Amino acid sequence: MIESFRKQNESSIIRPPKIYYQIPWDEKFGYEAYIMEDVGNNLVVKVPSTKEEIEEFFTFYREYRANCRKKPWVKKPKETTAETIKNRFERWTKASFEIYPDHPFRQKEDQKLIKEAIDVLTSEYRGVKLEFVHGHFSHRDLYRVNDKIVILSNLYWTWKPPFYDTIFARHWVRYELADKENLTPKQIENQLRTWDDQITKIPINNEERKLLDLALLERAAAGLNLDALSVKTNKPCAKFIVEQTRNELQYLLDKLSKS
């Protein structure tokens, strides 16, 4: 993945990490190995984040979209977008109840809301083409190394619905914020609002704005199903963050039903 990214990358700003040495996969011994550069710890975005950090994140996001994915090197799946959504949620729902069989913040109506979201997504995504993207374009994966930005998690280059990579960082920032001891619900809301201020600038027409809402719906459903439940229940904002995810899912369902 890293080598394929490097070969077609046309960005003068963003690059993959350097590989210094590699032992290819050995079928007999059952392993492979490589030595990768140490990219340090100078993240573009810290959590909590400043407005300037988030703005810069989306500057690099636009650069990546324009110049880092010129020639897809991962084969496009045969599954349609709708089929992909349905199959993934079946796996994720099973995993959720295996990992958190008695989660204290799960409510009876959650599965009904998630099913409604899946129904909307599988209906609205009919005919919508998948895009080749970095499927983990996260605040945790952009590092400053000298005058470049190095992007990690390159295993996750894949095909996703439109705007998946736009909101991926925002999705996980929410749950990372909830794991902080000294943040209030209001502070978390303000942080997410700053992310949303940048995200809403990206769609250029009503069709794209609807696709953005669908991407947000997919992440909210995934969040209520599993991701929000991963926040340690003894954290002060754990219950709030599950409720916030649930409310966002309901809001998006209502909004899309009127569109």
Side-chain angles (χ1 to χ4, degrees), residues 1-2 5 15-17 36 73 134 141 150-157:
M1 286 291 199
I2 290 171
F5 174 16
R15 66 169 177 85
M36 187 172 72
W73 60 87
H134 188 296
D141 292 307
V150 175
I151 186 166
L152 300 186
S153 294
N154 288 288
L155 179 65
Y156 294 97
W157 285 96

Side-chain angles (χ1 to χ4, degrees), residues 163 203-214 255-256 259:
F163 294 102
I204 59 173
N205 54 42
N206 287 337
E207 181 182 356
E208 288 195 354
R209 279 185 276 275
K210 182 174 182 179
L211 287 170
L212 174 61
D213 284 340
L214 288 169
K255 183 179 180 182
L256 284 160
S259 63

